[in-house]
Amino acid sequence: GQQLNQSPQSMFIQEGEDVSMNCTSSSIFNTWLWYKQDPGEGPVLLIALYKAGELTSNGRLTAQFGITRKDSFLNISASIPSDVGIYFCAGQLTGNQFYFGTGTSLTVIP
Amino acid sequence: NAGVTQTPKFQVLKTGQSMTLQCAQDMNHNSMYWYRQDPGMGLRLIYYSASEGTTDKGEVPNGYNVSRLNKREFSLRLESAAPSQTSVYFCASISKEVGGYTFGSGTRLTVV
């Protein structure tokens, strides 16, 4: 299957700090998605990106579709305790099939 | 509430037993998916159904079968469970409106 390299694997930050994570691939994707998963729950869609260079915000979250179409970035500003969870990127090649990164585990220390 | 419903939430099986994981969505989506999630490996696609009456293999289909019973329901069957199938299983459907998958809350399966 497709390999999506997501980094960092885990982050421990102080409440109020900004967070950055990214996802890279050797393949060119048509769509990038970012999901958050809380413990014991399924992933929930945060942001969807459809065009190279696109920058989209959802509250304190901002994500970008890389110009090369092989990467994407997610930033979280002014982190709060409820931001804790695992963040996944997902990329779409064709059709309705997406490939997922291995996740970034975020811990926010109050 | 609209969404994807999975049953059961937890299951323990003995090696060699069979079981079916159920999934239903009430959002009138055409496409439905089964993923498994393992530590450090993200989500991997087992099978998907692009529309009622069709199913296709994903990345890790071995040891599984699926049935798209109707537009709402997509079940995953383990005919002879193996310890390697211990995982968390997620069902999802997709809509153009949402722009991506909507996931169920998962089935945590342990095979001993």
Side-chain angles (χ1 to χ4, degrees):
Chain A
Q2 294 296 322
Q3 192 79 16
L4 291 186
N5 300 308
Q6 193 170 343
S7 65
Q9 276 192 320
S10 62
M11 303 180 73
F12 293 81
I13 61 169
Q14 292 288 139
E15 183 177 356
E17 288 184 350
D18 297 342
V19 173
S20 292
M21 60 189 78
N22 69 80
C23 210
T24 61
S25 171
S26 58
S27 300
I28 293 174
F29 286 105
N30 295 322
T31 301
W32 283 96
L33 306 176
W34 283 94
Y35 283 86
K36 183 192 177 201
Q37 185 177 25
D38 292 324
E41 298 295 329
V44 174
L45 183 65
L46 298 173
I47 293 178
L49 302 159
Y50 302 105
K51 294 193 311 184
E54 180 179 354
L55 186 70
T56 298
S57 293
N58 178 5
R60 294 176 296 105
L61 277 62
T62 302
Q64 184 161 24
F65 193 142
I67 290 292
T68 65
R69 294 170 63 193
K70 293 183 178 181
D71 57 8
S72 180
F73 305 86
L74 176 70
N75 296 316
I76 304 173
S77 63
S79 59
I80 60 178
S82 62
D83 290 335
V84 165
I86 302 177
Y87 292 79
F88 290 99
C89 62
Q92 179 194 28
L93 286 173
T94 58
N96 281 338
Q97 188 168 341
F98 286 81
Y99 298 91
F100 284 81
T102 52
T104 295
S105 175
L106 178 64
T107 301
V108 179
I109 303 166
Chain B
N1 291 337
V4 179
T5 303
Q6 288 182 238
T7 56
K9 286 191 178 299
F10 300 94
Q11 183 72 50
V12 179
L13 290 178
K14 292 183 179 179
T15 298
Q17 286 186 317
S18 62
M19 80 160 293
T20 300
L21 282 63
Q22 307 287 350
C23 175
Q25 53 92 8
D26 56 5
M27 297 172 285
N28 203 36
H29 291 170
N30 286 320
S31 300
M32 297 184 72
Y33 305 77
W34 276 104
Y35 280 88
R36 60 177 289 173
Q37 184 176 32
D38 301 294
M41 302 194 73
L43 290 121
R44 293 181 294 167
L45 183 64
I46 305 171
Y47 270 94
Y48 67 100
S49 170
S51 61
E52 185 179 351
T54 69
T55 61
D56 287 285
K57 294 179 180 179
E59 186 181 352
V60 288
N62 291 344
Y64 305 96
N65 284 302
V66 289
S67 295
R68 185 72 182 269
L69 305 170
N70 46 56
K71 193 171 186 179
R72 290 188 65 246
E73 298 171 288
F74 187 39
S75 62
L76 178 71
R77 182 160 177 85
L78 287 72
E79 291 291 351
S80 179
S84 61
Q85 294 178 305
T86 293
S87 187
V88 182
Y89 292 85
F90 286 101
C91 177
S93 64
I94 197 165
S95 72
K96 292 178 182 176
E97 293 75 25
V98 172
Y101 295 125
T102 298
F103 283 91
S105 57
T107 295
R108 283 143 190 84
L109 175 67
T110 301
V111 183
V112 297

